[in-house]
Each structure stands twice: as structure tokens, then as C-alpha cells.
Amino acid sequence: KSFSVAFVNAKVEDIRNYVEELKNAGFTVNATNKDVEVFGVVAYAYTASNGNGYKVEVTYAQDMCGMTITKE
């Protein structure tokens, strides 16, 4: 019911752009977005569902990104 993937050497700009693509694909239901920088470290997270019963969770910190897609 779920698929997870991790990326290393990711750039936060690429992750933000990918989240925009997810939004364009319909992942906007119950969306939460966090984008903060603390002591020079960027932390980014986006979670949302689509109308087909799938939920996506994207997290980023210090050049590492994780993404999980779950069938609700």
C-alpha cells in the first residue's frame, strides 16, 4: 500500500519544483507545507492527497530527500 524512496545530494530548489509538479498533478487535498531554515539548515516538507485516494509525503533536510506515496 505504500512506496518509499530516498535521494542523496538533492537540492532544495529541485524538491520545491517537484512539489509544484505534484500540485499540478492534483496532490492538493489537505495539503501541509513547511519550509524553514534554522542555523543555515533548510528543512522542507509537503504532504497532500489527491482525488484518487493517494497521499504523498515529501521531506528534505541537508541534501537528503525522502518521499512516500501511500494508497489511503
Side-chain angles (χ1 to χ4, degrees), residues 44-66:
Y44 181 83
Y46 182 79
T47 302
S49 298
N50 69 6
N52 296 323
Y54 289 91
K55 179 180 180 180
V56 65
E57 298 173 87
V58 179
T59 57
Y60 170 89
Q62 290 186 318
D63 298 333
M64 293 183 286
C65 176

Side-chain angles (χ1 to χ4, degrees), residues 23-34:
K23 290 176 184 178
N24 292 335
F27 285 93
T28 58
V29 178
N30 297 321
T32 62
N33 189 50
K34 296 184 180 170

Side-chain angles (χ1 to χ4, degrees), residues 1-6 27 53-57 66-72:
K1 289 197 165 212
S2 68
F3 172 79
S4 296
V5 64
F27 285 93
Y54 289 91
K55 179 180 180 180
V56 65
E57 298 173 87
M67 181 172 38
T68 301
I69 300 172
T70 305
K71 176 71 174 162
E72 297 183 300

Side-chain angles (χ1 to χ4, degrees), residues 13-32:
E13 296 84 13
D14 293 335
I15 303 308
R16 289 179 181 133
N17 290 335
Y18 187 74
V19 166
E20 289 304 313
E21 293 294 325
L22 289 170
K23 290 176 184 178
N24 292 335
F27 285 93
T28 58
V29 178
N30 297 321
T32 62

